[in-house]
Amino acid sequence: MSSLTDILRKAISLVEPSPSEKENIRKIAEELRSKVEGLTVKRSEISSVELGGSYAKGTWLKGDVDIDIFVKFLPNIPKKCLEDIGIAIGKKALAGYRHYLRYSEHPYVEGIINGVKVNVVACYDVKQGLWKSAADRSPYHTLFIKSNLDNRLKTEVRILKKFLKVAGLYGAEIKTQGFSGYVSEVLVHKYGSFKSVLEAASSFNEGAVICVEEIDEDIAKNISTPVVILDPVDQRRNLGAAISPENIASFILDARNFLKNPKLDFLKESSVKDIYEELETSPLIENLLLAVFEHKSRTVDILWGQLKRSQRHLEKQILKAGFEVLRGSSASNELSSSGFIFLLDSQTLSQFQIKVGPKVHSAQDASKFLQKNESNAKLMWVTSDMRIHALSERKYWRASQVVRVLLGGEFNGSGVAPGLAQEIKDSFEIFTGTDVFKAVVGRSWLLEGINRVVFADRLSFGSSK
Ligand code: CTP
Ligand code: MG
C-alpha cells in the first residue's frame, strides 16, 4: 500500500493542467474577454467586464474547465435591461460558435469555443452585501479566493474537486445536489489542505457549522441543514443548503475510508468502458430496470426537477404494487433523451397473492369480503384463526408491467411530471436485466447514471464489489 504522501504527490499530475493546456485556455479566455469588452465600451449601463469562476481563481481541473465571464451592470439598471443586454452581448461574442441560452436565477449565454465551455453571465456591480441578483456575489468569491489561496492551496482545491467528482459528489446543481467548486475552495481555505478537509469531514458532527470568519450566532441558530457552510463573502448564505444529506453522509464515509486506506482509485474517474466492463460482471444487472425516453430540450435545472419528481413518484407506485426499489436515479443527456433507473430486489413477484380476510363471526364483514373477492379468487379457505383467506392472481407480477402502465398513461396517479408525461408516453422503452446492455449503446449518459446507482458508492464502503 502506498503512503498518503505518495498518493497525494501522484494526484498532482491527475488534477493540475499542463503548461500547454493552461496556455491554450488563457488564449481563449483573453480573446473572449477582449471581444466582450469591445462590445461593452459604448454601453453606459455596464461598468466592467471580468473573468470569474475557477478559471480566474486558478482552481480548474485538468481537462475540465469552463470559462466564466461576468458583465457587470450599474445597480440602477432594471433587471429586464440587464437580462436583454447581457444576452445580446453573449450572443454576439459567441457568434460563429455553438451557443445557447441557459438559466440560473436569470438567463445567460453558454457557448463552446474549440471544445471549451464558456459562459457569459450578467450581474450587478454592487457593494458587498447589497446583492441585486444571485450572480452578484460571484466577483466577490473570485476576489476572496484569489487573495486567500496561494498556489499550494489551489492544488489542494483541485485534488478535493477531483475526489468529489470521482465520488459523484461534485456540483451544486439540482442534478447532483453536491459540493460546488466554491464550497471546495472555502473548505480548503478553512482547513488548510485536502487531507485536513477529509480529517475534518471524518468527524463532522450533526449540524456542524463551518465558517471562515467569526460566526454570527444569530444567523447560525436559524439554519438547520446537516452541515452549515457559511459563505465568507455573505454570512447570511448557507452554502451547505444545496448539498443533500445523502451526499454529506457519503462524503464523511469516503473521507474516513480514504484516510484509512489511501488509494489513487479515489482520484481516478471511471471511463465509460470501465463502467461497462464492471457491469458485465455485476450480479446486480439482473435487478436493473430502465425506462428511456425522448423529449424536447429545456432548461437543465427544470429538466432535472421534472426527472427527480417523476422518479420519486414512480418509485412510490412501484412499491405500492408490491416490489421493493432498493435504489433509483434518473439520467439524461440534458438535451433530448433521459431515463429512469431502478434497482429492484426482484423483477418478479409470485403470480398469486393471499388476502387475509375477517373472522367468520362477523356475518357482515365476511359477506363483504366474499363478495369482493369471489370473482377473482382462485381459491378461498379458512384457517385455524377462523379468518377467511382468498388466493388471487396478481394483476402485475413483473415490475416492467407496472412501469409500462405508469408511463403509458393508463394510470392517472403515476405522479410523472406533467411537463414530461406526454413525451414519455409517446417514446418510452423499458429494458430489464441483460437487455440493459442494449439500452446503453450510444447512451453513455445512461451508463453514468447506472454507475451512480450500482457502483459509485463502492469507495465509501471500502470494497470494490
Ligand atoms: N456559484 C455560486 N454558487 C453556486 C454555483 C456557482 O456561488 N451554486 C458562483 C461561484 O462564485 C462560482 C461561479 O458562480 O465561482 C462559477 O460557477 P461554476 O462554474 O459552477 O463554479 P467554478 O467555481 O467555476 O468551478 P468549476 O467550473 O471548476 O466547477
Ligand atoms: Mg466554472
Side-chain angles (χ1 to χ4, degrees):
M1 188 179 78
S2 320
S3 73
L4 184 57
T5 331
D6 215 22
I7 304 268
L8 295 180
R9 197 172 37 75
K10 285 188 188 142
I12 297 175
S13 64
L14 294 177
V15 300
E16 190 77 32
S18 68
S20 71
E21 188 182 1
K22 281 187 185 166
E23 178 53 19
N24 178 33
I25 301 300
R26 193 193 61 78
K27 271 195 198 141
I28 297 174
E30 286 309 327
E31 220 165 275
L32 180 67
R33 192 234 294 264
S34 58
K35 225 186 232 175
V36 175
E37 261 169 4
L39 291 165
T40 58
V41 276
K42 285 194 193 131
R43 291 245 179 222
S44 56
E45 302 92 339
I46 295 168
S47 61
S48 62
V49 173
E50 222 174 85
L51 284 166
S54 62
Y55 170 73
K57 294 179 281 190
T59 54
W60 51 285
L61 271 180
K62 177 179 181 167
D64 190 6
V65 64
D66 58 2
I67 298 169
D68 302 294
I69 188 155
F70 290 85
V71 180
K72 296 168 85 175
F73 285 71
L74 297 175
N76 60 343
I77 302 300
K79 191 72 181 281
K80 179 84 175 77
C81 269
L82 169 140
E83 288 183 12
D84 292 347
I85 299 173
I87 292 173
I89 289 174
K91 283 187 172 170
K92 269 196 199 147
L94 293 168
Y97 299 104
R98 188 161 87 85
H99 64 272
Y100 39 87
L101 274 192
R102 286 194 72 156
Y103 298 80
S104 177
E105 183 212 47
H106 57 257
Y108 61 97
V109 184
E110 183 169 290
I112 315 279
I113 303 182
N114 303 343
V116 177
K117 201 184 272 179
V118 301
N119 296 306
V120 181
V121 184
C123 71
Y124 284 107
D125 191 358
V126 288
K127 290 218 171 73
Q128 189 164 347
L130 303 177
W131 322 118
K132 292 195 70 181
S133 87
D136 303 351
R137 291 183 190 85
S138 214
Y140 285 94
H141 293 157
T142 308
L143 194 65
F144 179 82
I145 298 303
K146 273 166 89 172
S147 36
N148 284 287
L149 262 53
D150 59 14
N151 284 340
R152 181 189 70 83
L153 289 178
K154 287 177 186 174
T155 302
E156 300 287 320
V157 168
R158 287 180 161 126
I159 300 175
L160 176 59
K161 282 189 179 184
K162 188 71 164 190
F163 181 85
L164 291 165
K165 251 192 147 177
V166 172
L169 306 174
Y170 186 71
E173 65 284 353
I174 299 177
K175 171 189 173 185
T176 311
Q177 292 180 289
F179 296 71
S180 67
Y182 183 54
V183 163
S184 315
E185 290 154 357
V186 170
L187 290 173
V188 166
H189 173 245
K190 165 82 183 169
Y191 296 107
S193 70
F194 165 66
K195 182 175 164 229
S196 310
V197 171
L198 297 196
E199 282 165 353
S202 299
S203 46
F204 274 165
N205 289 320
E206 270 191 276
V209 179
I210 295 157
C211 51
V212 177
E213 313 287 337
E214 194 65 17
I215 183 169
D216 183 329
E217 293 291 343
D218 283 343
I219 291 173
K221 232 178 16 210
N222 294 320
I223 314 182
S224 61
T225 49
V227 64
V228 179
I229 305 170
L230 296 182
D231 185 343
V233 311
D234 180 358
Q235 291 267 312
R236 276 167 303 177
R237 182 165 180 244
N238 172 18
L239 301 164
I243 314 173
S244 72
E246 295 94 302
N247 283 341
I248 290 173
S250 292
F251 183 49
I252 294 172
L253 290 174
D254 289 344
R256 284 187 196 146
N257 225 358
F258 177 75
L259 292 172
K260 202 170 89 189
N261 182 15
K263 278 189 292 194
L264 209 53
D265 282 356
F266 282 86
L267 296 161
K268 280 188 179 158
E269 272 165 282
S270 303
S271 67
V272 165
K273 187 169 160 273
D274 294 338
I275 304 169
Y276 193 92
E277 282 171 8
E278 200 155 0
L279 199 57
E280 281 182 313
T281 55
S282 171
L284 296 178
I285 185 141
E286 288 300 338
N287 295 41
L288 278 173
L289 188 156
L290 313 182
V292 183
F293 54 92
E294 307 297 313
H295 54 79
K296 287 203 285 287
S297 134
R298 67 204 69 199
T299 307
V300 172
D301 276 351
I302 291 182
L303 173 65
W304 279 105
Q306 292 175 331
L307 290 172
K308 292 206 154 193
R309 174 196 156 155
S310 306
Q311 176 85 33
R312 209 171 45 241
H313 285 284
L314 288 169
E315 285 180 21
K316 264 194 207 149
Q317 295 300 338
I318 298 171
L319 198 75
K320 260 195 189 163
F323 297 86
E324 189 82 46
V325 181
L326 304 174
R327 287 197 91 182
S329 183
S330 308
S332 181
N333 68 358
E334 301 189 341
L335 214 62
S336 56
S337 311
S338 298
F340 303 116
I341 303 167
F342 307 98
L343 180 67
L344 303 163
D345 94 326
S346 170
Q347 300 276 8
T348 54
L349 295 173
S350 60
Q351 198 175 342
F352 297 109
Q353 62 181 344
I354 296 175
K355 283 191 194 161
V356 179
K359 289 196 172 179
V360 293
H361 308 94
S362 157
Q364 213 184 356
D365 289 348
S367 118
K368 247 200 229 159
F369 183 81
L370 292 175
Q371 248 174 29
K372 210 171 152 201
N373 291 286
E374 229 162 22
S375 55
N376 284 333
K378 301 283 167 206
L379 185 68
M380 282 198 182
W381 69 103
V382 282
T383 49
S384 59
D385 61 1
M386 306 185 98
R387 285 183 185 278
I388 309 174
H389 287 56
L391 187 72
S392 62
E393 207 165 356
R394 278 182 208 276
K395 195 164 176 199
Y396 308 117
W397 53 279
R398 279 183 194 282
S400 58
Q401 297 169 320
V402 177
V403 176
R404 197 170 295 285
V405 169
L406 291 169
L407 300 184
E410 290 165 49
F411 176 70
N412 275 335
S414 70
V416 168
L420 276 178
Q422 189 61 43
E423 287 165 296
I424 293 179
K425 185 178 170 189
D426 292 343
S427 65
F428 78 92
E429 276 180 278
I430 293 177
F431 301 87
T432 57
T434 46
D435 273 355
V436 163
F437 290 115
K438 291 183 197 151
V440 298
V441 174
R443 295 188 181 107
S444 57
W445 50 271
L446 189 58
L447 208 48
E448 277 154 22
I450 295 172
N451 184 48
R452 281 198 294 280
V453 174
V454 187
F455 306 124
D457 295 311
R458 65 197 178 297
L459 293 171
S460 310
F461 298 98
S463 71
S464 61
K465 292 265 153 66

